[in-house]
């Protein structure tokens, strides 16, 4: 078990991208401010994808600029998702220092999500490299549909390994393995990460679980046992990909912190403040909290 855990909060990006109702930029910024007050240090702020494909994040320029000029946020990382050179150029215009590129272990999902094959997605990434190097950007990679695909069903772990290795070869400093539709179970998750661990640096792998079938916390526990120390999660359990139908939210950060506190693992996150941040965004959206920890602590169960 690792003793220090890195949480990558994806609520402002993965969480909000799936919400139909447009959340005004000032609400997004206040939400992020509350996440920072709770102690989160790595916050995926937005994505520079096509606003036609994900209208919720069309204010990416405003969000990133506002975060980067705030002097009190100097020690916080704000990676942003970029699918192609166009998105990368826009992110750089707004002073991004960290970007995340994303592809999948499933051909069909990749087509639906970014309108290209897996190979084409790597050609796009190669086109991005000169700019990434020129601006000395840190790059995270994502592999979606690692434990199942909404279109192809079962995914061969070797396909996940192949894509993961390619992302590291391109220069990714970290690769996050995504159970995009939340179908994976702990044994499957353990076996996949065990395979990956044999071929790529264990301290550069991250886990990204959605909770559709209620397996996310169990999956995290299983993968922690392999020494993986980076966990993606979304406050209030919001999230999903608009191009992966039927998937529910990411694992709630509240649940992850509760689990890690119970294991005596350090995160630097204040659970009570985090719950307040989650309630802030669910109140705004007019939905009830999905985090069981929040419901229990608020006496709502
Ligand atoms: P396309 O329609 O094939 O793009 O979309 P295109 O290159 O043909 O361009 C069409 C138009 O879009 C052009 O404008 C471009 O300039 C513009 P027009 O000439 O028509 O006026 N355009 C852009 N505008 C702004 N920003 C850009 C951009 N690129 C082109 N970056 C594209 C291809 C990749 C853009 C599209 O498919 C897309 O944006 N997809 C993103 C979908 C998405 O965001 N999905 C969710 C994120 S992934 C996820 O959630 C999974 C994850 O959480 C891990 C897990 O859970 O597994 C990461
Ligand atoms: Mg996701």
């Amino acid at each position: 078990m690792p003793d220090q855990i890195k949480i990558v909060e994806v609520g402002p990006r993965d969480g909000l991208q799936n919400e139909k109702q447009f959340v005004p930029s000032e609400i997004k910024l206040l939400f992020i401010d509350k996440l920072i007050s709770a102690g989160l240090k790595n916050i995926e702020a937005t994505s520079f994808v096509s606003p036609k494909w994900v209208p919720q994040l069309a204010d990416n320029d405003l969000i990133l600029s506002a975060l980067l000029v705030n002097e009190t946020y100097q020690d916080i990382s704000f990676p942003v998702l970029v699918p192609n050179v166009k998105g990368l150029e826009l992110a750089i215009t707004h002073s991004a220092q960290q970007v995340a590129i994303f592809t999948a272990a499933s051909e069909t999902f990749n087509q639906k999500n970014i309108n290209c094959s897996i190979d084409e997605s790597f050609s796009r990434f190669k086109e991005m490299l000169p700019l990434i190097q020129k601006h000395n950007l840190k790059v995270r990679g994502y592999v979606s549909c690692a434990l199942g695909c909404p279109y192809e069903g079962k995914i061969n772990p070797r396909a996940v390994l192949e894509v993961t290795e390619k992302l590291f070869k391109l220069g990714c400093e970290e690769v996050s393995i995504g159970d995009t539709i939340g179908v994976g179970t702990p044994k499957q998750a353990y076996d996949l990460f065990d395979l990956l661990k044999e071929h790529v640096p264990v301290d550069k792998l991250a886990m990204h679980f959605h909770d559709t079938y209620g397996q996310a916390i169990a999956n995290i526990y299983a993968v922690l046992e392999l020494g993986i120390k980076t966990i993606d999660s979304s406050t209030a359990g919001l999230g999903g990909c608009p191009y992966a139908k039927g998937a529910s939210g990411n694992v709630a950060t509240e649940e992850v912190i509760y689990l890690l506190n119970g294991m005596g693992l350090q995160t630097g996150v204040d659970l009570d403040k985090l719950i307040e941040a989650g309630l802030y965004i669910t109140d705004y959206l007019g939905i009830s909290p999905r985090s069981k920890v929040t419901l229990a602590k608020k006496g709502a169960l």
Side-chain angles (χ1 to χ4, degrees):
M1 285 278 179
D3 53 4
Q4 191 83 34
I5 301 294
K6 174 179 159 195
I7 303 286
V8 178
E9 167 65 39
V10 296
R13 192 279 302 169
D14 206 341
L16 294 181
Q17 77 183 5
N18 216 31
E19 294 299 323
K20 297 239 167 352
Q21 172 198 349
F22 185 76
V23 179
S25 311
E26 58 272 22
I27 304 286
K28 289 176 181 152
L29 289 169
L30 266 168
F31 175 43
I32 293 173
D33 189 68
K34 288 177 190 298
L35 296 172
I36 292 169
S37 298
L40 289 160
K41 298 233 176 285
N42 302 283
I43 303 180
E44 206 172 67
T46 185
S47 66
F48 283 82
V49 300
S50 159
K52 288 191 191 124
W53 284 62
V54 182
Q56 178 65 261
L57 303 181
D59 59 352
N60 44 27
D61 49 351
L62 204 152
I63 296 293
L64 187 61
S65 311
L67 295 174
L68 294 179
V69 297
N70 190 322
E71 287 185 1
T72 63
Y73 297 165
Q74 292 297 318
D75 62 337
I76 314 293
S77 301
F78 295 113
V80 293
L81 227 56
V82 291
N84 53 14
V85 169
K86 166 111 186 174
L88 178 64
E89 283 171 349
L90 289 168
I92 289 171
T93 305
H94 297 286
S95 309
Q97 283 140 21
Q98 296 192 28
V99 293
I101 57 179
F102 54 110
T103 185
S106 152
E107 283 293 352
T108 317
F109 174 76
N110 229 34
Q111 285 290 352
K112 304 261 185 200
N113 193 41
I114 50 175
N115 210 13
C116 69
S117 68
I118 298 171
D119 276 353
E120 283 164 344
S121 71
F122 278 95
S123 307
R124 286 181 186 176
F125 301 152
K126 281 184 192 140
E127 285 169 29
M128 293 157 84
L129 280 182
L131 263 181
I132 287 176
Q133 281 154 2
K134 181 171 169 206
H135 292 270
N136 208 14
L137 302 180
K138 284 192 173 174
V139 189
R140 166 177 241 238
Y142 275 107
V143 184
S144 285
C145 297
L147 294 175
C149 169
Y151 308 102
E152 295 183 10
K154 284 204 172 122
I155 293 293
N156 187 338
R158 293 266 154 202
V160 182
L161 173 61
E162 195 184 318
V163 172
T164 306
E165 282 185 314
K166 275 187 170 176
L167 284 169
F168 277 120
K169 272 197 196 117
L170 269 183
C172 286
E173 300 194 1
E174 183 171 278
V175 175
S176 177
I177 307 300
D179 183 12
T180 317
I181 54 168
V183 287
T185 54
K187 182 171 182 330
Q188 194 192 356
Y190 184 96
D191 289 348
L192 174 64
F193 278 85
D194 202 23
L195 170 72
L196 296 174
K197 204 183 139 179
E198 279 173 33
H199 300 270
V200 298
V202 65
D203 56 333
K204 293 185 174 177
L205 281 172
M207 51 183 123
H208 181 109
F209 290 111
H210 286 254
D211 200 30
T212 320
Y213 285 81
Q215 303 293 298
I217 281 290
N219 289 342
I220 289 172
Y221 188 86
V223 174
L224 277 172
E225 287 197 304
L226 286 164
I228 316 297
K229 61 176 179 55
T230 301
I231 305 175
D232 298 359
S233 59
S234 168
T235 295
L238 300 176
C241 174
Y243 300 97
K245 287 218 167 20
S248 75
N250 294 72
V251 63
T253 311
E254 297 87 325
E255 261 76 323
V256 174
I257 300 301
Y258 186 82
L259 170 81
L260 298 174
N261 285 349
M263 295 168 74
L265 300 177
Q266 302 304 312
T267 61
V269 178
D270 179 318
L271 185 56
D272 290 325
K273 285 190 179 167
L274 186 66
I275 288 173
E276 293 313 315
L279 287 171
Y280 172 76
I281 198 66
T282 50
D283 282 352
Y284 178 81
L285 291 166
I287 56 176
S288 35
R290 292 179 202 152
S291 152
K292 287 201 172 133
V293 169
T294 297
L295 292 170
K297 287 249 186 192
K298 291 287 157 196
L301 284 178

